[in-house]
Amino acid sequence: MERADELALLMTLEMGKPVAESRAEIVYGAEFLRWFSEEAVRIDGRYTVAPSGKGRLLVMRQPVGPCLLITPWNFPMAMGTRKIGPAVAAGCTMVLKPAQLTPLSSLALASILTEAGLPPGVLNVVTSSKAGPTIGPIIADPRTRKLSFTGSTEVGKQLAAQASDKLLRVSMELGGNAPFIVFDDADLDAAVEGAVIAKMRNTGEACTAANRFHVQESVAEEFAARMADRLGAMKIGRGTDPGVEIGPLISRSQRDQVSELVDDAVGRGANVMVGGHSDREAAGYFYPPTVLTGVPQEARVLREEIFGPVAPIVPFGSDDEAIAAANDTEYGLVAYLFTTNLGRAFRVSEALETGMVGLNQGLVSNPAAPFGGVKQSGYGREGGREGISEYLNVKYLAMNVGG
Ligand code: NAP
């Protein structure tokens, strides 16, 4: 555990999240290695008789080949192991390009894997402050067979276009705009608890972060008041200080972007229940946890990925209205849904246009689950049984058995 603590501290110093969250990420990241080490021995195939009865069909799965893995800064350890784990288990070699803001976490991870016995050359980390010119030649190299990217939708689209020239196998884990729906029959304590987790993990800098809260009219006021109490009481500060729950945002531009989204909403008539202002000249890129009500539909904060600790709350009337509002986005990574009505839980879950749904829980990340999105949140899945298939090709052997 000492080693995990060192790594957690390194991650906090590098990108700012509270040490407790860094520790949780080390465990989450390590779980991908465990899960995929167990999956490595379950790469199976099949043997069948051809319909004519004359031949035999043997189906095997083989490593896709050298992979290019590109990761973001917000979960530098887990986004790495979520790709490295299945790639190694499938038998692939790889080049990992971490975000320029968090190369140290990835280099530390690589050195641990080397220490653990990963053969030389299997994992190659390339750091760079010029992503485009560094990545271009690797995508164009005829040895590269697969691109797995986690990051923004904008960059993902550019890379998918580049990769199409070589028809690479591609996985894209992109941005989100997660709706968090609370029905009037929900357990409100659980909904607030789930909302705090879904919104505040990593100071809101997560693709899975609840971006907008759709709450049924009769409970909207109470939900907003409870959220304001909870978020307003959170301790903000340096990630290494004891008891800190909310660290700084990753950069000045990120903080300014969050400020602009809040200012835009307020300019259009939204009310600030808590937070809502940061001193742009102050040291550190802190932004206070913020709850907004009366947010008009056209406000940017409802349409864009916030990547900060801001919770806009919007009331709805019927189930159909909730579903329509939740799906009114080009993104489709995850949605959260709180209800105690079983039929409603299934109906709404099925109608949501997302790759994942958190039902009465504010966290969906799990190494055993297929993580990924639809629409402009990308394609491909990481984790679970599906995760290893992304690194395997299917080969079929047609056998003439005579007779
Ligand atoms: P980003 O700007 O798209 O960067 C992601 C990675 O792509 C970094 O390593 C970056 O390198 C690299 N990159 C940037 N421009 C490139 C180019 N032209 N060619 C090749 N590589 C390039 O995203 P970010 O700001 O780091 O991360 C935040 C985004 O990631 C959010 O939208 C979030 O939702 C998304 N995300 C999605 C998931 C998911 O699983 N769906 C998980 C986590 C985060 P540099 O750092 O050198 O620019």
Side-chain angles (χ1 to χ4, degrees):
M1 201 57 199
E2 220 174 78
R3 196 66 187 278
D5 286 341
E6 272 173 33
L7 272 181
L9 183 60
L10 169 72
M11 208 192 320
T12 293
L13 293 172
E14 188 173 40
M15 57 76 67
K17 68 176 72 177
V19 169
E21 284 202 41
S22 292
R23 281 205 193 97
E25 185 181 335
I26 300 291
V27 174
Y28 174 48
E31 283 297 314
F32 282 108
L33 299 179
R34 179 170 40 190
W35 172 268
F36 285 110
S37 69
E38 291 166 353
E39 284 301 288
V41 294
R42 298 193 190 104
I43 298 171
D44 53 12
R46 68 179 192 270
Y47 173 84
T48 48
V49 178
S52 65
K54 291 193 175 148
R56 300 292 180 269
L57 317 179
L58 190 69
V59 178
M60 62 186 89
R61 296 197 291 162
Q62 296 184 309
V64 80
C67 302
L68 171 59
L69 315 176
I70 305 178
T71 52
W73 49 264
N74 59 347
F75 292 93
M77 205 61 81
M79 296 303 97
T81 58
R82 199 163 80 168
K83 297 184 191 303
I84 295 168
V88 172
C92 299
T93 55
M94 67 212 86
V95 172
L96 170 70
K97 210 296 283 173
Q100 62 175 294
L101 290 165
T102 53
L104 300 180
S105 298
S106 299
L107 290 169
L109 172 63
S111 94
I112 287 173
L113 292 173
T114 303
E115 240 178 77
L118 194 67
V122 172
L123 169 64
N124 306 277
V125 182
V126 175
T127 60
S128 169
S129 55
K130 291 192 175 70
T134 306
I135 291 304
I138 303 178
I139 291 183
D141 191 300
R143 290 168 294 184
T144 306
R145 297 294 163 78
K146 152 109 196 160
L147 165 65
S148 177
F149 173 78
T150 298
S152 61
T153 296
E154 191 190 351
V155 173
K157 284 181 189 175
Q158 289 171 27
L159 291 173
Q162 277 176 258
S164 72
D165 196 42
K166 295 244 327 287
L167 294 177
L168 294 184
R169 289 276 301 269
V170 176
S171 309
M172 286 281 157
E173 297 287 353
L174 308 178
N177 177 1
F180 189 105
I181 307 169
V182 183
F183 283 100
D184 58 6
D185 58 43
D187 172 341
L188 217 52
D189 291 334
V192 171
E193 224 35 62
V196 172
I197 294 167
K199 179 72 254 180
M200 303 308 285
R201 183 169 174 235
N202 208 32
T203 315
E205 294 174 309
C207 53
T208 49
N211 211 62
R212 50 209 163 92
F213 293 80
H214 300 282
V215 186
Q216 205 151 18
E217 277 153 2
S218 59
V219 292
E221 209 173 304
E222 187 178 349
F223 180 83
R226 291 212 212 172
M227 282 291 280
D229 281 353
R230 283 296 306 273
L231 266 51
M234 292 183 99
K235 185 171 173 187
I236 311 174
R238 289 150 64 111
T240 44
D241 288 351
V244 161
E245 295 164 283
I246 306 292
L249 292 171
I250 190 73
S251 62
R252 181 181 296 279
S253 64
Q254 185 65 34
R255 186 187 61 182
D256 291 349
Q257 191 180 311
V258 173
S259 288
E260 277 168 27
L261 292 178
V262 172
D263 293 349
D264 171 77
V266 172
R268 293 173 195 269
N271 309 310
V272 178
M273 290 194 71
V274 71
H277 179 74
S278 86
D279 180 354
R280 291 192 185 197
E281 301 312 316
Y285 311 132
F286 295 102
Y287 196 89
T290 296
V291 175
L292 301 174
T293 55
V295 184
Q297 202 46 45
E298 64 279 9
R300 287 174 54 201
V301 77
L302 298 180
R303 318 210 72 84
E304 297 176 25
E305 191 176 32
I306 303 172
F307 249 50
V310 177
I313 298 176
V314 190
F316 69 83
S318 66
D319 291 30
D320 285 348
E321 268 177 58
I323 294 166
N327 288 340
D328 184 19
T329 170
E330 69 266 35
Y331 294 107
L333 189 62
V334 59
Y336 303 92
L337 164 62
F338 278 72
T339 175
T340 51
N341 178 323
L342 187 61
R344 182 180 249 172
F346 273 94
R347 275 195 314 275
V348 177
S349 296
E350 285 176 7
L352 289 168
E353 296 170 353
T354 57
M356 303 177 285
V357 177
L359 175 59
N360 294 324
Q361 62 183 63
L363 186 69
V364 292
S365 305
N366 189 315
F371 187 106
V374 297
K375 293 161 77 177
Q376 296 206 25
S377 291
Y379 41 78
R381 291 295 178 266
E382 291 192 314
R385 264 187 257 157
E386 292 79 359
I388 200 162
S389 304
E390 303 276 334
Y391 295 88
L392 293 166
N393 281 337
V394 170
K395 182 183 278 178
Y396 140 63
L397 185 64
M399 281 193 291
N400 181 345
V401 291

